[in-house]
Amino acid sequence: MYQAKTQNNALAAGLIGVATAFIAATTLMAKALGTDALGPALPALQISHGRFLFAFMAISTAVMILRPALSPPHWRLHLARTSCGWAGITLMFASVAYIPLADATAISFLNPVFGMMLAIPLLGETVGRIRWFAAALALFGAFILLRPTPESFQPAALLAFGAAMVMGLELIFIKKLTGREGPFQILFFNNLMGLGIATLAVLPVWQMPSTAQWVLLAGIGVCMAVAQTCFVNAMARADASFVAPFSYGTLIFAALYDQIFYGVVPDAVTLIGAGIIIAGAALLALREARQKPKPPAAHTAL
């Protein structure tokens, strides 16, 4: 039986800070792979396959060395979480090839908003007026980032929007799993199953990467493995409402990386839209943190 981790907010905040730097690095490398920077652009399905392949190699190596205790996995929860994670990361990788990293990252911050909405039918949660206002505010920020005019509309931003939706659903499954299984076990089965899904999906479009592209694919996998390890351990040590605001650091790193490597400076629309999304998501996290704790509901497989 898995023993829950001792609550430690300071450690959780630090782990999320490290995770944000590595998550932003994966989108930077995905952008290089999805364009012709290092050879013919790779399909998003192949980039996500590389992410799962090398992340699984890194995590399985860690499991063999550390030999953590494993318990019987909750297969249905793992499959649901992994399917959402694979779909979300594939859509995210597809979007960053066409729009600035800061825009795609900001839109991805809608995932707790969608998580809140989906928790109503899936977890039976009740949502008050302030939380609905926070959600509407964040969605308004995303509408700004879509630049909905004939001259500036970015269709690729809808890919990031879709990524946020499925990642919001993934949050529900992650929280369910962190209460019943250890971090290493969650990561191991997530990447094992994700590799299987990604391998089947990439077969029709796979192409031989260049040497430099192989290096970046490996880099994405290793960075994601580190980020996942930090994130799952943070979720196991603090409430999701406490952890969420620290994830906004991803936007800072994404904008910094984009400026350093591609010379992309966030414009006024990006700053305004991202600011509104963060304000809405932060208000949502603050409101959830103030909610009185309730007895945990029985775990169900969705």
Side-chain angles (χ1 to χ4, degrees), residues 84-218:
C84 291
W86 167 80
I89 202 66
T90 301
L91 289 170
M92 187 68 174
F93 286 166
S95 71
V96 297
Y98 303 101
I99 63 177
L101 293 183
D103 284 18
T105 302
I107 293 173
S108 74
F109 288 153
L110 291 173
N111 63 27
V113 174
F114 290 117
M116 179 205 79
M117 294 177 179
L118 292 168
I120 298 173
L122 297 181
L123 300 179
E125 292 187 1
T126 301
V127 177
R129 288 178 296 176
I130 294 179
R131 294 172 73 188
W132 276 119
F133 171 76
L137 185 64
L139 289 171
F140 177 66
F143 180 75
I144 292 175
L145 286 180
L146 289 175
R147 294 167 169 83
T149 64
E151 297 79 17
S152 59
F153 175 63
Q154 300 184 96
L158 295 175
L159 296 172
F161 193 83
M165 292 181 65
V166 292
M167 287 178 178
L169 180 57
E170 183 189 17
L171 287 176
I172 294 177
F173 298 126
I174 289 175
K175 195 59 183 176
K176 282 178 170 288
L177 283 169
T178 55
R180 64 169 68 231
E181 297 182 21
F184 265 120
Q185 175 163 317
I186 293 173
L187 293 175
F188 177 76
F189 284 106
N190 167 238
N191 285 279
L192 173 62
M193 298 174 73
L195 178 57
I197 295 171
T199 299
L200 293 175
V202 78
L203 289 177
V205 298
W206 193 89
Q207 62 191 54
M208 178 61 71
S210 66
T211 301
Q213 288 174 330
W214 274 120
V215 171
L216 287 194
L217 287 170

Side-chain angles (χ1 to χ4, degrees), residues 59-85:
I59 291 172
S60 59
T61 299
V63 168
M64 287 188 291
I65 294 174
L66 300 176
R67 297 186 180 279
L70 300 179
S71 59
H74 197 300
W75 291 109
R76 292 178 65 186
L77 278 179
H78 277 289
L79 179 60
R81 179 266 167 106
T82 300
S83 299
C84 291

